[in-house]
């Protein structure tokens, strides 16, 4: 008999252990769960679009029905405010309904029909292409979004929307939230379509299972890279969709600073301390002109930091890393730090911090993602915004986002936009990168190490990650998916190269 | 001073070496070429769609202008017939023009606009999403398609269409063809947009270059896996689009055999000997009922093999592998082989072969891709087509294609279609898998080891491999790509979730 390993959360406000939730899933249990998921795959993929959308709506209803209970459990495990958790649940329910809309609308199938024809290459047969579910997907919940990027998050919603069973890996920062979320999810979906595992080894075993056909992961670069190595060691490589690391640079032009120094400074503090600075879109690197206007902006940031409080981090690991990083920063002669209140009580509470340095003296080791309410302000020569932004952004790894604060008639804007779009997946103008709307045109991705560059984990097109194309050549109508038959007009289709909207 | 290594082809009809074409590219040269390609990337990506399409048309014109010369060079290096090579050039030119059409049509940009709005998640900013070039691409030419899947092939055409510079790795089976093709290509595209390297080590160095952002490869599973290992060892992983290996199973139902035994048998010989059996879509595994009708079909195949001739393989390696495989098969007691004429002369000429075995006795080691004019016929109990096909297909790796020969009212067809579409990227009905039309609805891909499952190397959507999304949030109109500005109506766009065709 194998010893079981208990799984339990910790109250970040006190550091106290919470009651055990589950035991770590064994390798044999992981294999059995994946086998069951694979067995459920054809049934799930075979549901018509209306039925699949109905399942997604039912999950959204379930989330709302269990709203108070879920928030209470998550609050105890994560230290997040009720407002943040309520917003996440609203987002999670919205996201399931949104993917229901995506499935009903049907463009995601990319249905295309090329009728038989003569071409310069010779006769062409009748070809009909559609996207189909890739198979069982492993989804790793994040630490920092116990609802919106975890069991009830966008990876789960988009994979189920695609028709793929989902085997979830619970995040150790919120196992009870994950387990209860899973139960809410499981009651709304067909039998076998979802499963959950607990424990690091279970996660590794999950990714190694041959029946798993894609992985969705939101977490650290180190954790993601370790899982990617497991993927790469498989006989059959599979897509790994990791959202891994992002510094989210911000460039403030001299004209923007002249116009809105105080507003930008205050907005920046709100953004980098949101969620206790544990957001993947936290602005972690801010270029500010070395000028009187820039000084005003920095003064506003310092003032905001000194007034900011109540920043509880998620877990012991994040807390220890933040404490070590900020202590080292305070000890450096080449940077100036301003620390806010807090961080000396029980649990994982910390003080916010702003770090200031000059571009000419920028230490590359200073610039890496740190979870927690800290950002780095880098002053640049006010007469050289394009050159400075180029030097700075090319020295950073690519990010999920890049932000430009500009004035209405800023000469530098075209060049800064080109620079930003080359190094990030979302370019934000006169706003802050935190806050990622779920919508058709959203992109939450970017060149490595943000993600794998080609795909998003938020927004309608996230579903594309879990679909593969199939083309039918000269198929009798009765064996085709309904959406590929002649005369079907309820979704947009491309016929002989011409896009036809739904009828 | 480093010694140079000469690169030369071999005449497969005689085995004689051809004159040297180039020298192997050194690591330093590879790095310099990639740096130049990266420098050309913004200019190429910045061309408007009309200008990009014009470049693709110019390549097509160049191909046709050099048609006779290119065919002559390739014939000497590959042993392929003039008819095959002429068909390939027609295909290559058609493909560049086709991607010009894809660029002009503009759907590939996936342009989407979500205007600012109130949502259940709160206020949504203005979001505008488009796809943009991923950056320099490495393209590895194939052995078996010196034009259509090499320097002038679909990977090059789709990458340039996406706006990506291309650094080509010439295939050692046809270095002169590759070099001359490159010269034709280079005169039609902007300076620096294409480059070529020769030599295995140069190919490895190419994939390891940090500025390379994606790899297109058509070749063997072993070669592809080795390159994938180089990709996986990079600091920044990049997409690897390998078209690697495919058995292309064919299922003949009892009713189909009863209707068309001789036609299917003759068609099969034509298909598995096409291009001397060196096509990635060669039918290499054929399920035939164990019945009198099945016997007639097999007799037709044997007769076709005995009448087939003139099969020259591409190079010494393919020739040696084929000779070893077929010799081993002839020596086995558990299979029956029928060998056609040829294979005892000079060069790399071989005799075609059909191998017969029974499903109940199928040796899994018998079933793997062998380049050359050989296929394996597997007899199954005529009363158990669905069970037999399930057993057989689930024992094979997935393929690019799966084919069903059926009668009009075949009860088994729905089940066989589901089985085939789960294990292949293209399902062919009452035809043969060789011949891959370039069109909007084509898919040339499939679950590993066919490809990486999600993407195609043939057809309009091949362009998606070389594009990444960018979303602009609250951007001033003048910094947006033209296709994302209000009022632009020359391409289909999704606005607030609704797809609008071009105006």
């Amino acid at each position: 008999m194998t010893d079981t390993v208990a799984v339990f959360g910790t109250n970040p406000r006190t550091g106290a252990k919470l009651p055990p939730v589950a035991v770590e899933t064994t390798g044999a249990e992981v294999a059995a769960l994946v086998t069951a998921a694979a067995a459920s795959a054809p049934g799930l993929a075979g549901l018509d679009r209306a039925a699949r959308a109905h399942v997604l709506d039912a999950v959204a209803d379930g989330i709302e029905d269990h709203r108070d209970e879920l928030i209470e459990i998550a609050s105890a495990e994560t230290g997040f405010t009720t407002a943040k958790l309520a917003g996440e649940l609203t987002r999670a329910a919205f996201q399931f309904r949104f993917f229901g809309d995506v499935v009903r609308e049907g463009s995601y199938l990319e249905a295309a029909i090329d009728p038989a024809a003569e071409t310069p290459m010779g006769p062409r047969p009748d070809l009909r292409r559609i996207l189909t579910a890739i198979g069982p997907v492993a989804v790793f919940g994040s630490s920092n979004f116990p609802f919106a990027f975890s069991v009830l998050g966008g990876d789960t919603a988009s994979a189920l929307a695609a028709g793929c069973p989902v085997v979830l890996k619970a995040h150790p920062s919120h196992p009870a939230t994950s387990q209860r979320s899973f139960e809410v999810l499981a009651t709304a979906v067909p039998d076998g379509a979802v499963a959950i595992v607990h424990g690091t080894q279970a996660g590794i075993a999950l990714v190694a299972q041959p029946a798993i056909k894609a992985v969705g992961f939101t977490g650290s670069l180190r954790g993601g890279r370790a899982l990617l190595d497991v993927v790469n060691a498989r006989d059959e490589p599979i897509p790994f969709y990791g959202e891994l690391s992002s510094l989210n640079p911000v460039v403030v032009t001299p004209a923007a600073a002249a116009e809105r120094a105080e507003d930008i400074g205050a907005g920046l503090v709100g953004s980098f301390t949101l969620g206790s600075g544990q957001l993947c879109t936290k602005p972690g690197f801010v270029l500010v002109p070395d000028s009187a206007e820039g000084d005003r902006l920095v003064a506003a940031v310092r003032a905001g930091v000194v007034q900011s409080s109540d920043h509880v981090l998620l877990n012991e690991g994040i807390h220890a890393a933040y404490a070590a990083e900020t202590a080292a920063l305070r000890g450096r002669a080449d940077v100036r730090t301003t620390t806010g209140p807090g961080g000396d009580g029980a649990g994982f509470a910390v003080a916010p911090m702003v770090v200031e340095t000059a571009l000419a003296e920028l230490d590359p080791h200073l610039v890496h993602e740190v979870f927690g309410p800290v950002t780095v302000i880098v002053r640049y020569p006010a007469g050289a915004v394009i050159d400075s932004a180029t030097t700075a952004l090319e020295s950073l790894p690519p990010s999920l986002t890049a932000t430009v604060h500009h004035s209405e008639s800023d000469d530098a804007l075209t060049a800064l936009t080109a620079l930003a779009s080359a190094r990030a997946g979302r370019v934000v103008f006169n706003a802050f990168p935190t806050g990622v709307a779920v919508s058709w045109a959203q992109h939450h991705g970017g060149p490595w190490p943000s993600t794998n560059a080609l795909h998003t984990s938020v927004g309608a097109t996230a579903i594309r990650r879990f679909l593969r194309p199939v083309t039918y050549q000269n198929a009798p109508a009765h064996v085709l998916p309904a959406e590929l038959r002649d005369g079907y007009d309820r979704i947009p289709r491309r016929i002989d190269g011409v896009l036809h909207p739904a009828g």
Side-chain angles (χ1 to χ4, degrees), chain A:
Chain A
M1 188 174 162
T2 315
D3 287 337
T4 56
V5 180
V7 174
F8 49 82
T10 302
N11 182 337
R13 296 186 185 88
T14 62
K17 284 186 182 179
L18 295 165
V21 175
V23 294
E24 291 193 356
T25 314
T26 66
E29 288 165 344
V30 171
L33 290 169
V34 172
T35 300
S40 82
L44 191 61
L47 286 182
D48 68 21
R49 288 182 299 109
R52 193 114 39 82
H54 186 74
V55 168
L56 298 169
D57 287 345
V59 177
D61 292 343
I63 292 171
E64 281 163 357
D65 289 347
H66 294 83
R67 191 174 183 90
D68 294 342
E69 176 193 359
L70 288 167
I71 291 173
E72 189 180 340
I73 296 170
S75 174
E77 284 189 321
T78 65
F80 283 132
T81 63
T82 302
K84 143 108 173 150
L85 294 168
E88 267 199 63
L89 270 186
T90 299
R91 180 190 183 90
F94 179 81
Q95 192 153 247
F96 274 92
R97 291 213 172 85
F98 177 73
F99 277 109
D101 291 343
V102 170
V103 167
R104 285 185 196 95
E105 196 268 349
S107 286
Y108 78 100
L109 293 171
E110 298 184 8
I113 299 176
D114 292 331
E118 285 299 321
T119 78
M121 279 174 60
R124 178 184 76 193
D126 180 282
L127 295 168
R128 296 175 188 237
R129 175 182 185 269
I130 200 166
L131 301 190
T132 189
I134 200 172
V137 173
V139 169
F140 285 68
S142 73
S143 64
N144 55 341
F145 281 94
F147 297 124
F149 288 81
S150 288
V151 171
L152 298 172
D155 284 351
T156 303
S158 55
L160 288 172
C164 298
V166 174
V167 183
L168 294 142
K169 157 68 172 59
H171 196 281
S173 274
H174 43 71
T177 309
S178 299
Q179 186 66 35
R180 191 70 191 114
S181 295
F182 168 73
E183 290 158 9
V184 169
L185 177 68
T187 58
V189 304
D191 281 350
V194 295
I196 192 166
V197 306
H198 291 271
T200 302
Q201 288 307 312
I204 293 169
L206 176 59
V207 169
Q209 281 289 319
I212 291 292
K213 297 303 179 193
V215 181
F217 175 88
T218 306
S220 69
L221 179 54
R222 202 166 103 182
R225 186 83 225 195
L227 275 186
L228 182 54
D229 288 344
V230 178
V231 168
N232 291 340
R234 292 170 53 113
D235 285 342
E236 177 197 2
I238 52 175
F240 174 78
Y241 304 111
E243 196 232 278
L244 301 178
S245 172
S246 186
L247 272 169
N248 306 298
V250 176
V251 181
V252 181
T253 69
E259 278 180 14
R260 307 186 308 278
E262 286 75 16
D263 282 356
I264 296 171
L268 188 62
V269 175
S271 186
F272 85 76
T273 62
L274 192 66
S276 300
Q278 300 168 109
L279 306 190
C280 46
T281 53
K282 180 188 83 169
F285 181 97
V286 188
L287 281 170
V288 174
D290 191 3
S291 64
E293 292 84 358
D295 291 345
R296 280 168 42 215
L297 192 159
V298 173
V301 176
R302 287 188 209 130
V305 164
V306 170
Q307 287 157 25
S308 178
S309 64
D310 289 327
H311 300 295
V312 180
L313 297 183
L314 272 162
N315 60 42
E316 195 169 355
I318 294 173
H319 180 261
Y322 184 85
E325 291 277 355
T326 49
L329 286 164
R330 262 189 295 267
R332 288 176 71 134
D334 60 335
V335 301
R336 170 173 178 165
T337 60
T338 304
T339 303
D344 39 13
F348 309 142
V350 296
M353 176 185 278
V354 59
V355 184
E356 298 167 44
T357 186
L359 181 58
E361 290 155 28
L362 182 63
D363 173 0
H365 297 293
L366 193 71
V367 182
H368 60 271
E369 190 184 41
V370 178
F371 251 37
V374 58
T375 196
V376 178
I377 289 179
V378 180
R379 307 296 293 269
Y380 69 86
V385 60
I386 296 173
D387 284 353
S388 299
T390 304
T391 301
L393 265 64
E394 292 187 349
S395 76
L396 302 186
S399 281
L400 291 164
T401 71
T403 296
V404 184
H405 280 275
H406 63 94
S407 72
E408 197 148 327
S409 57
D410 226 315
D411 287 345
L413 196 58
T414 299
L416 293 176
T417 302
L419 184 64
S421 62
R423 308 285 297 172
R426 179 162 54 102
V427 185
V428 180
F429 297 83
N430 286 350
F432 293 93
T434 44
V436 184
V438 174
S439 75
W440 293 87
Q442 186 56 280
H443 180 59
H444 189 61
W448 182 273
S450 318
T451 70
N452 74 348
L454 258 75
H455 295 281
T456 183
S457 62
V458 178
T461 58
I463 195 172
R464 180 64 182 86
R465 299 176 296 166
F466 305 120
L467 295 162
R468 68 177 180 89
V470 175
T471 287
Y472 298 85
Q473 178 173 329
N474 290 347
H478 73 277
V479 301
L480 284 170
E483 291 88 349
L484 287 182
R485 293 181 194 160
D486 287 347
Y488 186 95
D489 70 351
R490 278 174 281 164
I491 65 169
R493 305 196 299 180
R494 184 174 300 281
I495 300 176
D496 213 3
V498 179
L499 192 60
H500 294 256

